[in-house]
Amino acid sequence: MVETDELLSIRAAELYYEENKTQDEIGQALHLTRWKVGRLLSQAKAKGYIRIEIVHPRARRLPIERRLREERGLDDAIVVSSAGVDSADEVQVRTAQAAADYLTALRPVPRTLGVSWGRTLHLVAGHLRQGWASGVGVVQINGGVSLNRRAGTAAATAVAIAQKGAGHATLLPSPAILERIETKRAIESDRVVAGVIEQARSASAYLFSAGAADHGSVHVESGYLAASDVDELVRKGAVGDVVGRYIDPDGNIVDPALDARTVGLTLDELRNADHAIAVIAGRSKHAVADAVVRSGLCTVLVTDEETALHILDG
Amino acid sequence: MVETDELLSIRAAELYYEENKTQDEIGQALHLTRWKVGRLLSQAKAKGYIRIEIVHPRARRLPIERRLREERGLDDAIVVSSAGVDSADEVQVRTAQAAADYLTALRPVPRTLGVSWGRTLHLVAGHLRQGWASGVGVVQINGGVSLNRRAGTAAATAVAIAQKGAGHATLLPSPAILERIETKRAIESDRVVAGVIEQARSASAYLFSAGAADHGSVHVESGYLAASDVDELVRKGAVGDVVGRYIDPDGNIVDPALDARTVGLTLDELRNADHAIAVIAGRSKHAVADAVVRSGLCTVLVTDEETALHILDG
DNA sequence: GCGGTTCATGCTCAGATGAGCAGGGCGGAT
DNA sequence: ATCCGCCCTGCTCATCTGAGCATGAACCGC
């Protein structure tokens, strides 16, 4: 009889969802009372036979967001649907869009916003609307002067965010990673640099992404690290980087010596922030995303469905 | 504003379908009246942003069935869901199951059922329940004595269907295709054979499948045709076979000479039947399935979702 | 400017649905 | 054999939802 009930619940679901019959009509068709039909329907839902999906580039996944908040202790989570998406780029674009939306709707509007840089943040900046805020201060939280080509994308990101928010950007005039620790100390003792970092520390919110530990990393592309350096970091357990600092699955610094040569906010400073918004999308970043959330590096996560499910269910 | 409405309808849909809020609650959350929310919801449905799928091996696709009836003039159609199916075999099993269900529920119960044979029908026979009918006559409608191995599967199918339906099977003691037309004439003039064919002609319903025109065909496997023969048939436009007779996309006999050497019901006899149930599943049979339906070879089609959509939308 | 048209909005009302409850059948324990 | 408790069923009632309608704003051509 349980077998029959299961079949019946499927028949009922077909008539209800695909043929738009009322439960009463279904009852007549299957020789059941309408209450029985209602129960079969909720049974079908409970057993997961009914899958409802919202297919839209801007669609979110609220139940997953809720789980992230409840099971991972995030203050907030934005999970974009990856339904009907073929390319990894598309996923990143949707996530960036969502991050821009979140930032626009963020209340209270942060007086000063600390930002990192990279491909993802560049996209976020691009999706922000002119006038998303009125007079926001934007400050870079990690070094970003490129060593070779693509110079200025880091600066451009911060400037774009500030300009569209009718504010001004404070740039951190320093490379991300220095060759020698002495140089790093020297740069940090520079009054301008020290001032910017001080300002970064006092930002009311942070917006940053994370990089995967692979050869496609911006650090390799920008010339801060060689491909072999990344291999070495991976060997030591690195899953990716946050504001230029490479971490293992538990969020610990993988290479303290390298970390000491990295300019910008430290991870602990980030962890103590009230509003730390991480924007992380794409399959290659599943591991870092997990590390970021696990180790409390962010209070708010903006990501895609697959990454979120990876974080939740491993 | 239209852009905003679209976004709103998505937000509303998320809250309604993923969070189980009432339209009223959503209205409060989004500062809308509940009527506006209702309209946004139907808009989201109309634009196809809401996708509802029933995920179950026994699930059917009623809207597609309806389209097959209305747009292709079938008396009835059974379309099984191919959601969550990985293997082609699984699709065939589901379809066979559905065909068995259909046969069991068929009213009036056919006094005599004409059946063909093949892998699909064998599965159907296997899924029939003991006692699906009480006293049904089963008669083979095309030759099926195997020339080499696997002897008897054709007979076994008919016998199983009859036995489970508490009836008896009448076998057609003849090969499917003969080498020379004279032999075919001789066999057909045999009293027993002629009697069986006569009985087949007067069956009250037919159950048959179709084969793809490829080297995996049962005709090749059984030794009736060489792989090169099939290639030649394809060159002449064959998309597959029904009761051993190869047809082109319009349902016409591809090779009249070969057809004349084929023993069993003719296609026109099948076309004139009141109840001709075709069971066709799998991607490799899309073309034949289309030909069968287009040329009116069946009144009832049992198939899978993908094949049905191929028939409907090309 | 003006009349006409279109369209979105908020409403009434009836139909559809879900929550919770009483009655009764069934199986197991004593 | 009898009692007890569980679960399934069909019910009442309150809530939710969709259809259809009147209103008024916006838009268009004249």
Side-chain angles (χ1 to χ4, degrees):
Chain A
M1 189 56 85
V2 60
E3 150 90 6
T4 322
D5 253 25
E6 182 169 320
L7 257 181
L8 272 180
S9 75
I10 296 302
R11 297 283 159 264
E14 288 161 2
L15 292 165
Y16 191 71
Y17 291 106
E18 303 194 326
E19 297 284 80
N20 297 316
K21 307 262 189 200
T22 74
Q23 298 186 3
D24 214 352
E25 287 174 305
I26 297 170
Q28 286 181 280
L30 303 181
H31 308 289
L32 302 165
T33 62
R34 67 187 185 78
W35 297 284
K36 176 77 178 172
V37 174
R39 281 181 188 117
L40 287 172
L41 248 25
S42 33
Q43 190 185 326
K45 263 191 240 172
K47 290 201 180 171
Y49 299 146
I50 318 281
R51 177 178 300 162
I52 300 183
E53 211 173 14
I54 299 170
V55 189
H56 191 280
R58 305 284 280 267
R60 284 164 51 184
R61 285 291 115 99
L62 304 187
I64 304 180
E65 298 180 359
R66 175 199 298 264
R67 287 186 62 199
L68 279 173
R69 286 193 304 268
E70 292 178 357
E71 297 176 23
R72 290 291 179 273
L74 294 175
D75 287 346
D76 210 346
I78 313 295
V79 177
V80 302
S81 148
S82 43
V85 167
D86 12 327
S87 77
D89 283 355
E90 175 67 18
V91 169
Q92 210 181 20
V93 167
R94 284 190 182 188
T95 310
Q97 170 74 263
D101 291 347
Y102 180 79
L103 210 55
T104 306
L106 189 60
R107 292 293 178 282
V109 178
R111 251 176 37 82
T112 310
L113 180 68
V115 301
S116 76
W117 53 276
R119 274 187 285 270
T120 306
L121 279 205
H122 185 68
L123 280 173
V124 174
H127 280 101
L128 275 173
R129 292 205 160 193
Q130 200 72 39
W132 70 272
S134 41
V136 69
V138 176
V139 56
Q140 282 188 313
I141 59 177
N142 61 334
V145 176
S146 181
L147 295 186
N148 48 18
R149 66 208 173 77
R150 287 246 252 154
T153 59
T157 300
V159 168
I161 295 175
Q163 180 264 317
K164 288 185 174 177
H168 64 282
T170 307
L171 304 179
L172 181 57
S174 160
I177 303 173
L178 295 159
E179 292 262 324
R180 305 190 311 128
I181 189 150
E182 293 80 9
T183 327
K184 190 253 194 175
R185 293 213 181 98
I187 284 200
E188 280 191 338
S189 64
D190 176 275
R191 263 237 304 272
V192 174
V193 170
V196 172
I197 291 181
E198 192 46 50
Q199 204 177 327
R201 283 199 188 101
S202 64
S204 41
Y206 297 100
L207 178 70
F208 61 97
S209 185
D214 60 31
H215 296 176
S217 150
V218 275
H219 293 108
V220 174
E221 203 172 276
S222 309
Y224 291 125
L225 294 177
S228 58
D229 293 334
V230 174
D231 291 338
E232 175 65 12
L233 285 165
V234 169
R235 211 186 50 71
K236 289 182 181 168
V239 292
D241 80 285
V242 177
V243 291
R245 302 177 189 276
Y246 279 83
I247 57 175
D248 68 15
D250 297 321
N252 298 317
I253 293 297
V254 162
D255 182 341
L258 172 66
D259 197 63
R261 293 187 280 115
T262 306
V263 176
L265 236 54
T266 66
L267 295 188
D268 283 334
E269 284 168 335
L270 214 47
R271 283 197 182 94
N272 288 326
D274 288 333
H275 297 291
I277 306 163
V279 186
I280 311 178
R283 196 162 303 179
S284 65
K285 297 190 177 172
H286 282 186
V288 225
D290 193 40
V292 166
V293 171
R294 266 185 205 295
S295 67
L297 277 164
C298 66
T299 63
V300 176
L301 175 67
V302 183
T303 191
D304 63 279
E305 192 171 357
E306 285 188 12
T307 306
L309 288 174
H310 172 83
I311 291 172
L312 286 167
D313 303 324
Chain B
M1 187 58 82
V2 60
E3 151 88 6
T4 322
D5 254 24
E6 183 169 320
L7 256 181
L8 272 180
S9 76
I10 296 302
R11 296 285 158 262
E14 287 161 1
L15 292 166
Y16 191 71
Y17 291 106
E18 303 194 326
E19 297 285 79
N20 297 317
K21 308 261 188 199
T22 75
Q23 298 186 2
D24 215 353
E25 288 174 304
I26 298 169
Q28 286 180 282
L30 303 181
H31 307 288
L32 302 165
T33 62
R34 67 188 185 79
W35 297 284
K36 177 75 179 174
V37 174
R39 282 187 243 270
L40 286 171
L41 248 27
S42 33
Q43 190 184 327
K45 263 192 241 172
K47 290 201 181 172
Y49 299 146
I50 319 282
R51 175 179 301 162
I52 299 183
E53 213 173 11
I54 299 170
V55 188
H56 190 281
R58 305 283 279 266
R60 285 164 51 184
R61 286 290 112 99
L62 306 186
I64 303 180
E65 297 181 358
R66 176 200 296 264
R67 287 187 61 198
L68 279 173
R69 286 194 302 269
E70 293 178 355
E71 298 176 23
R72 291 292 180 273
L74 294 175
D75 287 348
D76 210 346
I78 314 295
V79 177
V80 302
S81 149
S82 43
V85 167
D86 13 324
S87 77
D89 282 355
E90 174 67 19
V91 169
Q92 210 181 19
V93 167
R94 285 191 182 188
T95 310
Q97 170 73 265
D101 290 347
Y102 181 80
L103 211 54
T104 305
L106 188 61
R107 293 292 179 282
V109 178
R111 251 175 37 82
T112 310
L113 180 68
V115 303
S116 76
W117 53 276
R119 273 187 286 269
T120 306
L121 278 205
H122 185 67
L123 281 172
V124 175
H127 281 101
L128 274 172
R129 292 206 160 192
Q130 200 71 39
W132 71 271
S134 41
V136 70
V138 175
V139 56
Q140 283 189 310
I141 59 178
N142 61 334
V145 176
S146 180
L147 294 185
N148 49 17
R149 63 205 174 80
R150 288 248 248 151
T153 60
T157 300
V159 168
I161 295 174
Q163 180 264 317
K164 289 186 174 178
H168 64 281
T170 307
L171 303 179
L172 180 56
S174 160
I177 303 172
L178 295 160
E179 293 262 326
R180 305 190 311 126
I181 189 152
E182 292 79 9
T183 325
K184 190 252 193 176
R185 292 215 181 96
I187 283 200
E188 280 191 340
S189 65
D190 177 274
R191 261 234 306 269
V192 174
V193 171
V196 173
I197 292 182
E198 191 48 49
Q199 204 178 326
R201 283 199 189 100
S202 66
S204 41
Y206 297 101
L207 178 69
F208 60 97
S209 185
D214 59 31
H215 297 176
S217 151
V218 275
H219 292 108
V220 174
E221 204 173 274
S222 309
Y224 291 125
L225 293 177
S228 58
D229 292 335
V230 175
D231 291 338
E232 175 66 13
L233 286 165
V234 169
R235 212 185 49 71
K236 289 181 180 169
V239 291
D241 80 285
V242 176
V243 290
R245 302 177 189 275
Y246 280 83
I247 57 176
D248 66 15
D250 297 322
N252 297 317
I253 293 297
V254 162
D255 181 340
L258 171 68
D259 196 65
R261 292 189 281 116
T262 307
V263 177
L265 235 55
T266 65
L267 295 188
D268 284 334
E269 283 168 337
L270 214 47
R271 283 198 183 93
N272 288 327
D274 288 335
H275 298 291
I277 306 163
V279 187
I280 311 177
R283 196 162 302 178
S284 65
K285 297 189 177 173
H286 282 187
V288 223
D290 193 41
V292 166
V293 172
R294 267 187 203 295
S295 67
L297 276 164
C298 67
T299 62
V300 176
L301 175 66
V302 183
T303 191
D304 64 279
E305 193 171 356
E306 285 188 12
T307 306
L309 288 174
H310 172 84
I311 292 172
L312 287 167
D313 303 326

